Amino acid sequence: MDFKEKILVLDFGSQYTQLIARRIREQKVYSEILPFNVTIDRIREFDPKGIILSGGPSSVYDKDAPLPDKEIFSLGIPVLGICYGMQLMAHTLGGKVAKSAKREYGRAELIIDDDSDLLKGMAEKKRKVTPPILPLLRGGAGGVVVWMSHGDRIEKYPKGFTPIAHTANSPVAAMADKERKFYALQFHPEVVHTENGTKILKNFVFDICKCRPKWTMHSFIETTAQEIRAKVGKDNVVCAISGGVDSAVAAVLINKAIGRQLTCIFVDNGVLRKGEAKKVEETLKKHFHMNIVCVDASQRFLKKLSRVSDPERKRKIIGNEFIRVFEEEAKKLKGVKYLAQGTLYPDVIESVSFKGPSAMIKSHHNVGGLLKNMKLKLVEPLRELFKDEVRVLGREMGMPEEIIGRHPFPGPGLAIRIIDRVTPERADILRKADAIVLEEIKKAGLYHEIWQAFAVLLPIKTVGVMGDERTYENVIAVRAVKSVDGMTADWAKIPYDVLGIISNRIINEVKGVNRVVYDISSKPPSTIEWE
Ligand code: XMP
């Protein structure tokens, strides 16, 4: 993609590297991450308006310390070093780095010594509260809260630099060589705990690098659509639609670019949520006039699953069978040369290993096999976007909130929520119970606060009494969790009233269930799914 004004982030392995790129894109300036050891030619070709050196776990004195090509300091473009990036700048440009007497992790108070360019406006909030605060800050009476994470510190700054801020433990917590436009920070401006951290990034990107805020979703759609047309020519493209956000947004974007040259295949594997297949078909067909083939392969999947209780075997069966069905259908189409996928940026960032560049790219879901067997080339229009940008893109293209804002749903679907063997009857019971959970969560206005809410069908029966009859029926567990990324999660504190309605409705409306329990486990030590 050719957005003229771009910021390059060189990755030295910090957990926050992706966050730096995201913060810059939030300012409508395009930013990409490359491993620290890319060649200078690749950097020249990328043609950034500025370079940010990320943090990282190494010390510049480590035997295998990651070091970039020194030429980056001769390109005549601004450079901002963050944490390890700062130490690396000091080390490379003639300063001295040493072990800190005291390591600094977490919160620290930054005293600003020069707020004329990079740190402009950083103390702003405080100044508003107590007008003459800046002189006080310089005198050391409290400062701006910043987030530190370092073991080394700058002992002597390189020639041409001057310190622009300090903390109690770091005499040079920020430094600048205004002449060459080199800047460095000991703390992390990209994390939310750093007060006014975004201001620093804005100052760097707009004032120092002279970028303009041109990277908008609208321009992304236009440019990407053109790129897709140029790449695909007159050939046809096939895309697997799962009902998830990424594949749907990718399909809508490609459809916008090439219309009927795209065919989407939606496979009903028999373990989808209630009404799912119909909803996806309706939305994409009616709303976007897309070419969709819906395949009801539920019998095939359910037959294969009928005697299986091991969760990992269930996953494998569903993955493999999906590939088979998809291939059969795709072969019926003419002139297909491309496979579209909703691969996202975090899946394609070349990760940094500290022994050298690993340049490893993760394989994506189940469809890897399709490329080999069918000799297709890839179209991945979202490979430059983060997840939240995909949602913005979807909304920009007019996709309904029902698709854009929906909870994640696992590829193996309800099969890993039917504990033990999956049968059509058990899938039916779970589908009904699950629909009630979601309906009531939405009705109570809780859907968007919750990461995932669903029902699980347990492999035990319990005794109950309905009317005057003794019953011996299934148990449904309700699971609802709050999470930011699915890596950790806490059980949602749903009001008792809502849980009461869910339980009542399931027992009354779903034949074969006489007990409902609520799962109150967090992750870790439990997982979100039961299998
Ligand atoms: P766990 O259960 O590991 O789930 O805490 C974390 C997130 O991953 C989803 N998940 C899956 N998604 N295929 C998928 O596409 C799978 O096999 C799978 N297993 C779990 C889960 O729904 C949750 O969002």
Side-chain angles (χ1 to χ4, degrees):
M1 182 172 318
D2 189 22
F3 289 102
K4 290 262 162 7
E5 297 171 352
K6 298 175 283 197
I7 298 291
L8 172 62
V9 180
L10 282 187
D11 181 19
F12 293 87
S14 164
Q15 55 180 323
Y16 302 128
T17 303
Q18 289 194 22
L19 209 48
I20 303 173
R22 291 176 60 162
R23 292 280 176 264
I24 294 186
R25 289 185 186 194
E26 279 164 17
Q27 305 308 321
K28 300 190 167 50
V29 172
Y30 187 66
S31 174
E32 258 189 47
I33 300 167
L34 287 177
F36 67 89
N37 55 356
V38 284
T39 62
I40 197 73
D41 288 340
R42 188 157 170 209
I43 294 177
R44 280 209 184 92
E45 193 189 327
F46 184 76
D47 192 22
K49 297 275 281 181
I51 298 178
I52 297 183
L53 311 175
S54 85
S58 313
S59 159
V60 284
Y61 292 115
D62 287 349
K63 204 160 79 1
D64 299 322
L67 298 172
D69 191 320
K70 273 191 195 156
E71 276 287 299
I72 59 168
F73 299 109
S74 311
L75 295 172
I77 45 181
V79 180
L80 170 65
I82 295 175
C83 201
Y84 175 80
M86 175 192 215
Q87 286 139 24
L88 154 73
M89 275 172 91
H91 183 68
T92 313
L93 299 172
K96 191 160 173 262
V97 178
K99 283 258 166 291
S100 234
K102 195 167 157 234
R103 291 165 154 245
E104 273 187 298
Y105 290 102
R107 197 190 134 96
E109 299 250 322
L110 185 80
I111 314 297
I112 297 170
D113 302 308
D114 172 354
D115 72 345
S116 64
D117 59 352
L118 186 71
L119 304 183
K120 193 171 62 194
M122 217 197 155
E124 213 159 63
K125 223 171 29 179
K126 293 181 171 272
R127 209 183 276 155
K128 263 183 217 149
V129 182
T130 348
I133 191 81
L134 206 62
L136 282 180
L137 288 183
R138 287 184 181 136
V144 182
V145 174
V146 296
W147 202 253
M148 292 277 193
S149 158
H150 68 109
D152 291 354
R153 69 175 199 188
I154 308 298
E155 222 45 9
K156 186 173 144 256
Y157 46 87
K159 208 163 149 248
F161 280 81
T162 44
I164 54 172
H166 66 274
T167 68
N169 288 310
S170 299
V172 189
M175 60 180 191
D177 175 342
K178 294 183 189 176
E179 193 72 30
R180 288 185 289 177
K181 293 194 169 29
F182 291 163
Y183 296 83
L185 304 167
Q186 186 63 80
F187 55 92
H188 292 273
E190 69 277 20
V191 304
V192 287
H193 312 284
T194 291
E195 229 177 333
N196 284 331
T198 307
K199 279 226 166 84
I200 301 183
L201 294 175
K202 273 165 113 167
N203 291 338
F204 181 69
V205 168
F206 295 126
D207 298 346
I208 297 167
C209 300
K210 308 282 179 220
C211 290
R212 286 164 300 168
K214 292 210 149 186
W215 191 72
T216 60
M217 270 309 152
H218 182 73
S219 65
F220 176 86
I221 294 169
E222 295 304 313
T223 322
T224 312
Q226 270 172 24
E227 279 172 6
I228 295 170
R229 279 193 288 272
K231 178 171 185 173
V232 171
K234 290 199 162 46
D235 292 323
N236 287 334
V237 180
V238 66
C239 180
I241 294 280
S242 65
V245 183
D246 307 340
S247 61
V249 173
V252 169
L253 181 54
I254 298 172
N255 182 60
K256 208 172 159 61
I258 58 169
R260 308 300 282 182
Q261 278 169 268
L262 169 71
T263 305
C264 295
I265 298 179
F266 182 87
V267 178
D268 183 346
N269 58 12
V271 280
L272 299 174
R273 278 173 291 200
K274 193 176 159 198
E276 178 100 11
K278 215 165 143 226
K279 205 183 311 159
V280 171
E281 186 183 7
E282 255 177 32
T283 314
L284 297 183
K285 232 182 208 168
K286 276 202 191 133
H287 237 77
F288 296 97
H289 312 289
M290 283 168 69
N291 219 350
I292 300 186
V293 178
C294 289
V295 192
D296 182 358
S298 45
Q299 297 305 321
R300 279 173 70 160
F301 280 86
L302 289 172
K303 199 163 158 218
K304 284 242 151 77
L305 286 169
S306 67
R307 265 188 272 251
V308 183
S309 47
D310 175 60
E312 287 314 301
R313 286 249 307 136
K314 289 180 186 173
R315 283 186 167 86
K316 274 213 178 73
I317 289 173
I318 291 175
N320 291 340
E321 198 58 20
F322 172 82
I323 291 183
R324 261 180 231 126
V325 175
F326 186 87
E327 272 178 8
E328 285 170 22
E329 289 304 317
K331 274 182 191 148
K332 296 180 194 163
L333 307 171
K334 294 211 172 71
V336 173
K337 294 270 166 60
Y338 291 90
L339 173 73
Q341 270 186 217
T343 315
L344 303 189
Y345 194 44
D347 299 324
V348 295
I349 295 174
E350 297 167 48
S351 53
V352 169
S353 92
F354 302 106
K355 302 268 177 283
S358 66
M360 191 196 66
I361 296 175
K362 288 183 205 164
S363 70
H364 199 62
H365 302 313
N366 301 324
V367 278
L370 290 172
L371 290 175
K372 259 192 265 140
N373 294 352
M374 298 177 59
K375 301 193 179 67
L376 296 176
K377 287 177 274 184
L378 271 181
V379 189
E380 295 174 306
L382 311 182
R383 56 181 287 129
E384 279 152 346
L385 301 187
F386 290 109
K387 185 91 183 177
D388 42 353
E389 293 172 331
V390 170
R391 294 209 168 91
V392 177
L393 169 62
R395 290 191 185 106
E396 177 87 18
M397 293 191 296
M399 293 176 72
E401 210 46 44
E402 222 186 344
I403 289 190
I404 300 300
R406 67 197 340 216
H407 289 172
F409 185 64
L414 302 183
I416 53 166
R417 294 175 181 172
I418 297 170
I419 312 305
D420 210 347
R421 292 189 315 158
V422 179
T423 62
E425 297 75 32
R426 291 177 68 76
D428 218 36
I429 290 177
L430 183 60
R431 218 181 329 262
K432 286 180 182 149
D434 188 65
I436 293 172
V437 172
L438 285 175
E439 250 174 67
E440 292 304 327
I441 295 281
K442 282 180 187 163
K443 234 189 248 170
L446 300 170
Y447 188 79
H448 294 294
E449 289 172 25
I450 286 173
W451 169 264
Q452 264 173 309
F454 54 89
V456 181
L457 180 57
L458 305 191
I460 48 163
K461 292 197 168 186
T462 65
V463 174
V465 53
M466 278 190 186
D468 289 330
E469 300 263 331
R470 175 189 188 273
T471 59
Y472 189 56
E473 305 273 30
N474 291 290
V475 183
I476 286 283
V478 174
R479 179 90 165 126
V481 296
K482 293 200 170 183
S483 173
V484 176
D485 51 14
M487 304 295 282
T488 57
D490 196 8
W491 59 281
K493 315 293 182 289
I494 295 179
Y496 287 165
D497 291 355
V498 180
L499 286 173
I501 296 171
I502 290 173
S503 163
N504 243 319
R505 279 197 58 195
I506 291 176
I507 293 170
N508 283 320
E509 295 173 34
V510 185
K511 208 159 161 274
V513 178
N514 68 355
R515 191 175 298 271
V516 172
V517 295
Y518 188 51
D519 180 350
I520 51 167
S521 345
S522 60
K523 173 185 179 176
S526 302
T527 50
I528 296 176
E529 304 289 348
W530 276 44
E531 285 197 332

